[in-house]
Structure formats: structure tokens, C-alpha cells
Amino acid sequence: MPVTRGFGGRRRDHALDLPPGQYLTEDFPVLSAGPTPDIDTADWEFFIRTESGDVHTWSWEQLHALPIEDVTRDIHCVTRWSKLGTDWRGVSLDTLFERVETEADFVMAHSYGGYTTNVPLEDLQDGKAWIAFEFDGEDLEPEHGGPARLLIPHLYFWKSAKWIHGLVMTADEEPGFWEQNGYNNYGDPWLEQRYS
Ligand SMILES: Nc1nc2c(c(=O)[nH]1)N[C@H]1C(S)=C(S)[C@@H](COP(=O)(O)O)O[C@H]1N2
Ligand SMILES: [Mo]
């Protein structure tokens, strides 16, 4: 008797996990708009600047003294590759925002090297975003944003700024690098918000 494998098998049905127009990849493509910066963790810092001008900063050691989370998420690039079940380690933005007082609704992420991308503050809250410094159990490779990158897996991957330096809070939303160059302002992969 042939055995028919129905739904509910152990195998994950990848077709159901892919947002529209995406294909599955097993490797990890590198997409960078410029050269990979060489950042020593001794010089590294992460900052959050609020609309009132307050600046909160964390050194590499201070970041690692915070609660560290392991997260497994699917990631989706606007160039149509998706990678399922990627393993990251980092600090939740919820933890970093605990000591930040702000009324602003928007964030501009700034990377070492000058890349920027904009995101509403609520997309960084409630367990949706991390400062990630390990991928697949290893220190994050420089080409993938090491020593640390923003990880916002529910949005297209251009929002996950590599070589993250800091976040600037703003009352109004301004477009970042790709958003000024034709990418969608928000970038929800399930709604296929690729371009503007
Ligand atoms: N600083 C910086 N961050 C960046 C980019 C970049 O060019 N510079 N590219 C973005 C884009 S378009 C994508 S798809 C992902 C790619 O991440 P990866 O190279 O680790 O796959 O990083 C995003 N973050
Ligand atoms: Mo991308």
C-alpha cells in the first residue's frame, strides 16, 4: 500500500511559509550597498538618540551584560530569496528601550558606513526586533553585519541594518537609503510591499 503523506507530517510545508513572490534558499547571500566596514568591538558603541536630544549609549561589554535572547526566524529579502528558520543571538530592542523615554513614533537606523533605514517605533517593540551579534552559533560575519546588526525579521531584510551604530527617534517619518531609492516605505513581505 502506498503511503500518502498528508498535512501534519513532520516535514515543514515550505510553500506555506513563503510570502508571495519569494523562493527558498539554503545559502546566505550577501547584499551590501558599499564596502564592509572593519569595526573593532573595543571601539563599537550603540546609541539611541531621542527627539529631545538625550543620547543613551552602550559599549560592547554593556550590551553583553544585558539579557541575551536566542531567536529563530524566517527572513525575506526584497530580491526574492527567503531563508527559513535562521538562528540568531542578540539583545531585544525592548530591553534597550527600557531606559529610553520618548514620545516619537519613528526611528531612523544609522549604520557604520552611512547606510540608513526608517522604521516605525512599534515595529521594534514587543519582541519584534533585536541587536543581533551571532548567527548560527557563530560571531556574526562582517559581511553579514558583524559585529552587530539590526534584526527585524517581519519586514523585508533591507530594514535589518548591518553594522548598526544607532537609532535616532523622530516625530515624522523620513525615508532611509533604499526608501529614497524606490523601495517601499514600510516593506511588509506578506503584502509584497517591495517598491514605492
Ligand atoms: N549597513 C547596511 N545594512 C544593510 C544593507 C547595506 O547595504 N548596508 N543591505 C540591506 C539589504 S538590501 C539586505 S537584503 C540585507 C542583506 O543582509 P545579508 O547581506 O546579511 O544577507 O541587509 C540589509 N542591511
Ligand atoms: Mo535587499
Side-chain angles (χ1 to χ4, degrees), residues 32-166:
S32 303
T36 296
D38 181 9
I39 305 156
D40 191 332
T41 54
D43 306 322
W44 183 91
E45 63 157 22
F46 175 71
F47 71 85
I48 298 177
R49 190 173 87 208
T50 70
E51 69 280 14
S52 58
D54 291 343
V55 182
H56 305 258
T57 62
W58 293 263
S59 68
W60 190 252
E61 286 69 29
Q62 287 168 332
L63 183 81
H64 283 73
L66 296 172
I68 290 171
E69 299 183 6
D70 288 311
V71 293
T72 301
R73 291 290 185 286
D74 303 340
I75 54 177
H76 311 289
C77 177
V78 71
T79 62
R80 298 184 181 273
W81 57 264
S82 288
K83 204 169 160 54
L84 302 181
T86 58
D87 295 318
W88 302 85
R89 175 170 287 176
V91 172
S92 171
L93 265 295
D94 293 316
T95 302
L96 293 159
F97 270 99
E98 267 171 22
R99 50 181 263 226
V100 177
E101 266 191 52
T102 179
E103 299 288 315
D105 290 330
F106 298 101
V107 173
M108 184 71 86
H110 290 258
S111 294
Y112 288 99
Y115 183 85
T116 55
T117 187
N118 57 292
V119 61
L121 176 58
E122 62 180 10
D123 287 87
L124 301 181
Q125 294 174 321
D126 302 324
K128 293 199 284 288
W130 295 266
I131 300 298
F133 43 75
E134 283 186 27
F135 173 79
D136 232 356
E138 309 278 350
D139 289 347
L140 187 58
E141 299 274 356
E143 61 183 4
H144 286 300
R149 77 182 296 163
L150 194 54
L151 176 66
I152 319 176
H154 71 287
L155 299 177
Y156 279 127
F157 211 37
W158 87 77
K159 297 285 183 180
S160 293
K162 302 196 281 190
W163 317 297
I164 189 69
H165 187 189

Side-chain angles (χ1 to χ4, degrees), residues 17-27 29 31 75-84 156-158 183 189 191-195:
D17 294 325
L18 287 175
Q22 297 294 111
Y23 67 85
L24 188 63
T25 185
E26 296 296 339
D27 56 9
L31 283 115
I75 54 177
H76 311 289
C77 177
V78 71
T79 62
R80 298 184 181 273
W81 57 264
S82 288
K83 204 169 160 54
L84 302 181
Y156 279 127
F157 211 37
W158 87 77
Y183 281 16
L191 300 177
E192 259 201 292
Q193 296 175 338
R194 296 178 194 275
Y195 310 108

